[in-house]
Amino acid sequence: MSERPVGVFDSGLGGASVLREALRLLPNENYIYYGDSGNAPYGDKSDDDITTLTMACIGKLMAMNVKAILIACNTATAASVSKVRQLMNQYSMPIISIEPAIKPACALPGTGKVFMMATLATTRLNRYLALQARMPDPSRVINIPCPGIVERVESGIFDEDAYDDLFDKYFAPYMGTAVDAIVLGCTHYPFIKGAFARNAKRYLRGNCTLIDGSVGTVRQLGRILDRYKLRNPIGTGRVEFHTSGNEAVLKPIFEKLLKQDI
């Protein structure tokens, strides 16, 4: 049973940033990745639509005989993970999900702001807003929706200056603000850390430390596999790729993302 793969789901290719950490920290596990690029981005969809799409993708992974599912999509988590877990309890299927890493960001020393940058859906959903409310100083966190990034990453665009026009919109209202940390609240964002750093320097003051939740999520995956005695001692880190989009176009981008130094 331990040799069965872990299913990894994202709204598109962004979950490759989490899978990359999984391959590094849990190298004996085998993985099946499912990216719903045919329906991406999720960030401009309703909660019900996101939940419906998430459940359909989980169903596809279950049909592939996975032993656990990692929801590597902040938007899917924020919109639907509670409902997903309720429905999945009947199958005794471990489900691990990612959420924006504002807790470690808020734990950093300093008096500057914490920018939480994510899709519009993530920043408006109750699960995320409840997480923000639990921070020591919720007002320190500024939520910035970032429409446009997901589509460009899905297109294979990674040049640092290829996102300047978008960051002009995101950061212009905060010119000169002291920022201690920038939370990459979408799994697509780690692939353009250079663009975040470049534009933070153009507009902001302070350390602007970039933080994402991939490592913490993968460590939790490892703990869950141990708890359920599902850890694979002999696997080879095999990755199988599936998508609802154009596989001929997307698979080469996916493979490039797995190899990218992020």
Side-chain angles (χ1 to χ4, degrees):
M1 185 173 182
S2 64
E3 295 179 11
R4 290 160 57 199
V6 174
V8 180
F9 156 67
D10 181 59
S11 62
L13 299 178
S17 64
V18 186
L19 177 56
R20 186 179 184 280
E21 292 296 343
L23 289 167
R24 183 175 67 86
L25 297 174
L26 302 172
N28 289 336
E29 298 299 332
N30 299 314
Y31 302 92
I32 294 179
Y33 186 94
Y34 188 86
D36 195 17
S37 293
N39 293 299
Y42 279 14
D44 57 2
K45 291 179 169 54
S46 70
D47 296 14
D48 288 343
D49 286 345
I50 296 168
T51 299
T52 298
L53 291 169
T54 298
M55 289 303 299
C57 293
I58 286 175
K60 292 179 186 297
L61 285 170
M62 289 187 65
M64 298 178 199
N65 197 33
V66 298
K67 64 184 178 183
I69 291 175
L70 170 58
I71 301 177
C73 177
N74 288 279
T75 301
T77 297
S80 61
V81 73
S82 296
K83 295 179 182 177
V84 167
R85 284 180 171 153
Q86 289 174 6
L87 292 172
M88 298 302 291
N89 281 340
Q90 60 185 305
Y91 298 106
S92 300
M93 172 70 68
I95 297 180
I96 303 90
S97 60
I98 193 169
E99 62 185 5
I102 61 172
K103 184 175 181 180
C106 289
L108 292 176
T111 58
K113 296 295 185 180
V114 170
F115 279 6
M116 205 294 282
M117 306 186 71
T119 67
L120 175 61
T122 298
T123 58
R124 75 186 180 202
L125 290 168
N126 289 333
R127 179 183 173 90
Y128 166 71
L129 294 174
L131 174 65
Q132 180 184 355
R134 294 195 297 271
M135 296 302 103
D137 179 9
S139 66
R140 186 184 178 199
V141 181
I142 296 178
N143 301 316
I144 303 179
C146 301
I149 290 181
V150 169
E151 292 90 335
R152 291 192 192 179
V153 172
E154 292 276 321
S155 298
I157 299 172
F158 306 111
D159 294 336
E160 291 185 6
D161 60 356
Y163 292 80
D164 288 357
D165 60 318
L166 296 179
F167 281 95
D168 288 344
K169 299 174 184 176
Y170 308 152
F171 283 164
Y174 305 100
M175 173 68 80
T177 300
V179 177
D180 293 326
I182 297 175
V183 178
L184 306 181
C186 172
T187 54
H188 287 76
Y189 297 176
F191 294 115
I192 58 162
K193 283 183 177 179
F196 277 89
R198 167 188 169 88
N199 286 281
K201 186 175 181 179
R202 290 173 64 210
Y203 280 99
L204 309 173
R205 297 187 296 112
N207 290 331
C208 298
T209 302
L210 301 179
I211 297 177
D212 75 84
S214 297
V215 172
T217 301
V218 172
R219 287 176 178 160
Q220 176 65 6
L221 170 62
R223 288 190 288 268
I224 293 297
L225 293 177
D226 286 338
R227 182 186 305 171
Y228 285 84
K229 296 180 170 52
L230 292 173
R231 181 83 73 130
N232 189 351
I234 60 172
T236 58
R238 184 182 70 253
V239 176
E240 186 178 317
F241 175 75
H242 297 266
T243 178
S244 62
N246 186 328
E247 182 171 346
V249 172
L250 294 170
K251 188 173 182 179
I253 299 174
F254 173 79
E255 292 174 345
K256 180 179 179 180
L257 292 177
L258 282 186
K259 296 175 182 177
Q260 184 179 341
D261 183 8
I262 61 172

